[in-house]
Amino acid sequence: MQHAAHISSQVVESISTPERLETRLGTLEFPLGVPTEETAHRLYDHLDHVRAVGAFLDAYSGVNMWASRKGFLAAGIQDHDVLLFSEFMDPRTLVLTGNADTVYFITFLDLTEGPLVVDMPPLSLCFVNDMWYRWVADPGMAGPDRGAGGRYLFVPPGYEGPLPQGGFFTQPARTTRLVLGGRAFLEGDDPKPAVERIKEGLRIHRYVPGLYGTSIGEIVTGGTAPPLPWTADTWTAALRRPDPPRFVEGSGFVVNTVPPGDATYFDLASELVHDQPAEALDPEIAGALAAVGIVKGRPFRPDARMREILTEAAAVGNATARTLACRPRPAEGAHYYGPSSQWVNGLLVSGHDFMTPPPEITDSGVQLRPSDRARRFNLRNWWWYLGVGISPAFTAPLPGIGSQYLFAFADRQDRALDGGRHYRLVLPPDIPAARFWSCTVYDNQTRSMLDTPQRFPRAGSQDYPTPAAVAGADGTTTVHFGPDRPDGVPEGNWIQTVPNKGWFVVLRFYSPLPPFFDRTWRPGEIEAVG
């Protein structure tokens, strides 16, 4: 005789939705298990708000990039024009955590008409990212040319034409536009040699199949179609040096590249989605944007209800991103010296893809660390709210190569940094930077360099564009922050701040040395004085 089985009342209760629920959204009603019209409207409003906040956070890298390009265009800087900071960047240029330590050069590359060649100058440290700020290449010191300079060929998505046999560092791209950001360094505290190398060496031009990189044998045996028309002049065209790009002086140049924090953010996201191939967008971000009406090939026309939701979602999304940037939770692992310290760097735990920790690099070689394939969303927002550009070189613990950064938003007592107060930072002897170190102050609101009468809000080991910081008799270097320079403090040891304005600081190490990576050298915390 079989025993009839019964589902317990506890199981039935656990899988059922009560007819009346008290939640943070208020009372939700489900008579006979079906939501009332009022409950459905409330939940859809809530869902659209949640999706919109998620879209704001998930799409930040792309909107960050698109805002930069729109800022360039609004300032009259076209694609392939090069914004060159021959006397360094200052606060008139709004760029997320830009520095006043290197000769920057920045340009947007247009691949909509086919592959593009960039001739790189020697002795530069660069990155190329696509329109969603994904890594494409590292021309220069960290790249395959190792700082000697070289020709880079960028190939757009969907290109099926001939490519050269050799002679280029060929890099496929997922978007039809790219950004090239480069840094070059002082020589004897003088930027002029670096500027001259950039102007002489940097060239941007279309790739012509059948010329440089392709042998005549490859052409006449049918391996590569020659360009048309095929004339005697074609044979010598590859020997002609391309014309230089238009260089725009960046020092003192007024341009805004910072993304908006209001509802216009979603309009920029829509512009970017429609500008690029649908395949260029990661499905996770495409889904978040589609949930609020931003879909390739469809007009973005939110109605009044949705526009109101997007306005609030932008405010909440921006507030959330700012909180993730200024106060990362200790559980994220971004606090470089542990939770008791204010110095943070999220890239050194998340990696450039925000899901693969940087490798271990020892005398025996590179040991890759496993990824759990879980994207670190909070650390991704931490970086894109504060910075521009990404590369594995940003996170690789390679002594003597590239640069590393530490951020601090608060003093030792975890209090926000106030521009009306006096603070000091003590750096122990033997600061671990082979090339140079620097300390730069940023405006909390713009996340760009703080604008003061001092002009360059930095201190460091270089004697340009402001005097170098002076070490004390015991080898320590003390950097002071405040609206006025304290008595007896050398000019190079003081960074001016502005009363009633919050600020944060980035401590940079160019060509960092092993004591930075193994943490045997550690900066002091920022201390309030008086």
Side-chain angles (χ1 to χ4, degrees):
M1 181 176 178
Q2 292 184 340
H3 177 71
H6 295 280
I7 302 296
S8 70
S9 60
Q10 290 88 347
V11 170
V12 172
E13 183 178 357
S14 72
I15 64 175
S16 299
T17 301
E19 291 198 352
R20 186 180 180 87
L21 280 173
E22 300 297 335
T23 73
R24 65 166 55 187
L25 302 179
T27 302
L28 305 177
E29 296 180 333
F30 296 85
L32 300 177
V34 178
T36 64
E37 185 175 358
E38 193 280 334
T39 289
H41 282 310
R42 189 180 304 178
L43 285 171
Y44 273 119
D45 283 350
H46 172 67
L47 180 61
D48 287 339
H49 173 74
V50 169
R51 298 292 196 213
V53 171
F56 185 99
L57 296 173
D58 291 344
Y60 207 91
S61 63
V63 177
N64 188 345
M65 171 69 84
W66 194 248
S68 295
R69 182 168 180 266
K70 283 180 71 75
F72 271 46
L73 294 175
I77 307 169
Q78 304 300 315
D79 294 342
H80 302 177
D81 290 346
V82 179
L83 188 61
L84 174 61
F85 294 84
S86 63
E87 296 180 355
F88 288 7
M89 186 182 292
D90 68 19
R92 292 173 66 83
T93 302
L94 296 186
V95 172
L96 295 177
T97 54
N99 70 57
D101 303 307
T102 61
V103 175
Y104 275 119
F105 55 100
I106 309 167
T107 184
F108 283 88
L109 307 176
D110 181 0
L111 278 61
T112 58
E113 297 179 13
L116 194 71
V117 178
V118 179
D119 296 345
M120 290 301 304
L123 300 178
S124 57
L125 184 64
C126 309
F127 67 84
V128 173
N129 286 177
D130 72 11
M131 292 307 292
W132 286 93
Y133 262 130
R134 291 172 300 214
W135 175 62
V136 176
D138 288 323
M141 296 176 183
D145 68 275
R146 289 294 193 271
R151 283 190 157 178
Y152 286 76
L153 177 62
F154 297 101
V155 182
Y159 176 77
E160 297 180 353
L163 291 172
Q165 295 171 277
F168 298 86
F169 299 111
T170 302
Q171 307 287 342
R174 293 176 61 183
T175 61
T176 60
R177 305 183 197 279
L178 305 172
V179 67
L180 165 65
R183 292 164 290 175
F185 304 100
L186 296 174
E187 293 183 15
D189 291 319
D190 185 0
K192 291 185 180 64
V195 172
E196 291 172 2
R197 274 196 305 272
I198 295 166
K199 289 185 174 180
E200 174 61 28
L202 183 61
R203 297 291 186 271
I204 302 168
H205 50 101
R206 295 287 168 203
Y207 169 67
V208 180
L211 294 186
Y212 181 84
T214 303
S215 68
I216 298 301
E218 177 77 2
I219 295 172
V220 299
T221 56
T224 299
L228 297 176
W230 191 253
T231 65
D233 186 58
T234 305
W235 300 97
T236 58
L239 301 178
R240 300 194 195 108
R241 188 107 192 275
D243 292 333
R246 172 178 172 250
F247 289 98
V248 177
E249 178 54 58
S251 298
F253 192 79
V254 177
V255 60
N256 173 39
T257 69
V258 178
D262 59 19
T264 61
Y265 175 98
F266 294 103
D267 297 305
L268 266 65
S270 177
E271 291 174 15
L272 173 56
V273 167
H274 285 86
D275 182 75
Q276 291 300 308
E279 298 77 16
L281 186 52
D282 290 335
E284 65 179 270
I285 301 176
L289 292 171
V292 298
I294 298 174
V295 181
K296 175 79 171 180
R298 300 182 198 169
F300 176 53
R301 295 173 183 161
D303 58 20
R305 167 191 162 276
M306 194 63 190
R307 181 60 74 176
E308 182 179 354
I309 289 173
L310 292 174
T311 298
E312 182 180 3
V316 173
N318 180 67
T320 303
R322 178 169 289 271
T323 299
L324 294 173
C326 299
R327 290 187 174 273
R329 290 182 291 198
E332 301 285 356
H335 291 76
Y336 194 60
Y337 301 103
S340 64
S341 174
Q342 299 294 338
W343 295 108
V344 299
N345 185 318
L347 293 181
L348 296 178
V349 291
S350 69
H352 81 285
D353 59 0
F354 305 100
M355 65 181 179
T356 306
E360 297 281 353
I361 299 179
T362 66
D363 292 342
S364 59
V366 176
Q367 299 176 7
L368 300 180
R369 298 168 66 186
S371 169
D372 59 11
R373 306 303 296 171
R375 192 86 67 188
R376 305 286 292 276
F377 291 134
N378 291 349
L379 293 181
R380 182 171 71 178
N381 280 119
W382 173 86
W383 177 247
W384 292 122
Y385 199 73
L386 297 175
V388 294
I390 198 68
S391 161
F394 288 16
T395 66
L398 281 169
I401 296 177
S403 55
Q404 292 294 338
Y405 318 124
L406 294 175
F407 295 68
F409 283 85
D411 66 9
R412 181 186 292 278
Q413 285 72 40
D414 196 29
R415 297 173 299 198
L417 301 171
D418 182 347
R421 300 192 63 183
H422 175 205
Y423 300 85
R424 68 184 171 206
L425 166 65
V426 178
L427 303 175
D430 302 318
I431 298 171
R435 187 178 290 275
F436 68 88
W437 66 269
S438 74
C439 193
T440 307
V441 165
Y442 297 93
D443 184 325
N444 279 351
Q445 294 300 332
T446 66
R447 290 98 73 202
S448 304
M449 282 188 279
L450 186 66
D451 191 4
T452 74
Q454 194 178 39
R455 188 183 180 190
F456 297 104
R458 50 83 64 188
S461 56
Q462 298 187 134
D463 204 26
Y464 181 96
T466 59
V470 178
D474 61 355
T476 64
T477 302
T478 301
V479 179
H480 295 259
F481 311 87
D484 301 299
R485 177 152 56 110
D487 293 341
V489 171
E491 180 183 351
N493 292 61
W494 168 63
I495 304 177
Q496 189 172 23
T497 60
V498 180
N500 301 315
K501 186 176 285 291
W503 57 275
F504 67 97
V505 65
V506 177
L507 182 58
R508 286 179 168 84
F509 307 83
Y510 275 82
S511 298
L513 298 173
F516 171 82
F517 295 109
D518 63 23
R519 297 173 175 81
T520 54
W521 183 93
R522 174 175 174 171
E525 301 294 316
I526 297 174
E527 304 269 7
V529 179

